[in-house]
Amino acid sequence: MDNLVKICGLSTPETLDAALSAGADMVGFVRIPKSPRHVSLSLGHKLSLQARGRTQRVVLLLDPSDEELAQAVEAINPDLIQLHGSETPERVAEIRSIFKRPVMKALGIAEPSDLQALSPYAGADHILLDAKPPRTAGALPGGNGVSFDWQLLNGLDRKVSFMLSGGLNPDNVAEAIRLTKPQAVDVSSGVESGPGLKDPARIEAFIRAARTAFAAARH
């Protein structure tokens, strides 16, 4: 998962094409009904076909049942399943076994003790570190446009591979990469003009800034 850029929450053919044209390594399709980025199974199917062979396709779910997973996998045929709820390490392993797809587990970070949750999830194929959602009614599990204190990752074992998310945008992604040295970055609301409305210019700017920062980090 070296130096990958993921654009999550894509929900229209036009904005997906913008992400693909800009060179996104991963594109995410959200299956969380209360999210403004939620896609139906039929739309997810069409978008997945559009992206097939051009990038890695990720489906994002929140504490999904086996039935919900089966429907999403059949319709979207993702290259990777992203779990953004309170799934246990055992549940992650079970999903990997049943659906034969790599799994990325998102973990919320707000304080140093939250990093202790990483070790039990060593069985996941990828770890995504996101800001814990605000403690407000209706807050989404991700895509809230807030970041956590990146300095918290100073004590993280550098052998731990992770994707950084939470509050990233074209203006701060370079600094985030410099400070935290992630293997990959993920953005959703940071490339939007409004909730769920992806901005092609911001997508391109984000990917360009991340690529430049990753290149600088290698030297």
Side-chain angles (χ1 to χ4, degrees), residues 5 7 18-19 22-23 169-174 187 190-191 199-213:
V5 181
I7 307 296
N169 60 56
D171 298 321
N172 68 10
V173 66
V187 68
V191 291
D199 182 328
R202 289 183 66 79
I203 290 173
E204 182 180 2
F206 182 89
I207 293 175
R208 184 171 60 249
R211 294 266 184 253
T212 301

Side-chain angles (χ1 to χ4, degrees), residues 100-219:
K100 311 299 182 187
R101 312 280 167 127
V103 172
M104 176 156 56
K105 179 68 183 90
L107 298 173
I109 304 296
E111 53 191 54
S113 61
D114 293 325
L115 296 176
Q116 296 173 9
L118 270 68
S119 181
Y121 286 97
D125 297 278
H126 304 296
I127 293 293
L128 181 146
L129 301 183
D130 197 0
K132 277 190 173 178
R135 295 180 179 178
T136 55
L140 297 168
N144 294 295
V146 296
S147 58
F148 60 90
D149 180 1
W150 299 324
Q151 302 288 350
L152 292 174
L153 302 185
N154 286 345
L156 186 65
D157 184 346
R158 285 300 156 191
K159 295 178 182 177
V160 175
S161 174
F162 67 94
M163 176 178 283
L164 182 69
S165 188
L168 298 179
N169 60 56
D171 298 321
N172 68 10
V173 66
E175 181 70 358
I177 290 171
R178 186 184 70 79
L179 286 175
T180 67
K181 298 177 175 57
Q183 281 64 51
V185 290
D186 171 69
V187 68
S188 186
S189 61
V191 291
E192 292 179 347
S193 57
L197 302 174
K198 291 290 186 288
D199 182 328
R202 289 183 66 79
I203 290 173
E204 182 180 2
F206 182 89
I207 293 175
R208 184 171 60 249
R211 294 266 184 253
T212 301
F214 276 133
R218 290 195 295 268
H219 299 292

